[in-house]
Amino acid sequence: MSLAIVTGAARGIGQAIAARLVESGHAVLLVDLDERVHHTSTELGGHGVRADISQPAGVERIVDAVRALGVEPRVLVNNAGITRDSLLRNMDEDAFRAVVRVNLGGTYALTEAIAPLLVDDGAVVNISSRAQLGNVGQFNYGIAKGGVIGLTRAHALALAPRLRVNAVAPGFVESEMTLAMPTEARQRVVDAIPLGSPGQPLDIAEAVDWLASDAASYVTGQVLYSCGGRSFA
Ligand SMILES: NC(=O)c1ccc[n+]([C@@H]2O[C@H](COP(=O)([O-])OP(=O)(O)OC[C@H]3O[C@@H](n4cnc5c(N)ncnc54)[C@H](O)[C@@H]3O)[C@@H](O)[C@H]2O)c1
């Protein structure tokens, strides 16, 4: 059995990814800031570690947890992310820095730390966002998630041929992150989705599972949009 490490896995998309990877036969290490990570990992029959991916001590904690498990790590899914939305003219620097530090900085730091531990033919899957194409009120998030795509390509080149590195860019997915949006704004976004409904965490989990699997063994440096057609509408 091999190990898959999934960040931001206490809830939402990360939880669905961890559950899907368990179905595919992986042992899973769920990582999250939220203490619910212990409950979720018990529910899925996995292992949980509470850690902040945006802090060096958090990254170290995750590396220690991986080593302590003694199971060959094969997959890293960088899913943890935050939003701090506001219009550009109202954006304060803290909100800009925090979103870049977690979404982009955390993904970079954890990949650098975990990649050397992954077995040959292992895979890294990063969670970007359709928002990297531009969303009013999300310029900090869009920049960070665009950066994740640049990072995906850079790591795909740097880690080839040993590892593959790809990204999934979700559109609007029902989770605590999007439930926090005002109802009218949510409806406007859903109305603009060509496939007519919001995505579910499982939709993203299926895309991640495929990119992490041997079925995608000739795919690296790519971005898979799972967004109901919103990337071109
Ligand atoms: N929901 C959407 O519509 C949507 C769309 C595009 C991309 N995404 C991306 O998908 C990912 C998952 O989103 P979600 O909707 O499940 O959000 P969510 O807020 O429900 O879950 C995110 C998880 O990440 C954890 N987290 C945040 N900062 C962390 C840190 N520094 N260290 C460790 N864990 C941390 C949170 O505690 C939470 O459990 C995020 O990267 C998000 O940006 C979501």
Side-chain angles (χ1 to χ4, degrees), residues 85-167:
D85 298 351
S86 81
L87 291 177
L88 181 49
R89 63 175 175 273
N90 301 328
M91 179 73 62
D92 68 72
E93 200 173 323
D94 279 355
F96 179 81
R97 287 189 189 280
V99 166
V100 172
R101 188 178 67 241
V102 174
N103 292 279
L104 179 56
T107 298
Y108 163 73
L110 195 61
T111 304
E112 288 288 308
I114 296 289
L117 308 181
L118 295 181
V119 296
D120 290 356
D121 296 329
V124 177
V125 184
N126 296 327
I127 303 300
S128 176
S129 172
R130 193 222 65 98
Q132 70 97 14
L133 298 171
N135 266 359
V136 174
Q138 288 199 309
F139 98 96
N140 53 350
Y141 183 71
I143 286 170
K145 291 301 196 182
V148 167
I149 292 177
L151 183 66
T152 300
R153 295 195 179 115
H155 270 147
L157 287 177
L159 299 171
R162 207 175 70 75
L163 304 173
R164 297 180 301 104
V165 185
N166 291 288

Side-chain angles (χ1 to χ4, degrees), residues 8 11 13 32-33 51-53 79 128-129 141 145 171 173 175 178:
R11 65 183 196 225
I13 294 173
D32 209 293
L33 260 184
D52 184 342
I53 58 152
N79 165 78
S128 176
S129 172
Y141 183 71
K145 291 301 196 182
V173 177
S175 73
T178 48

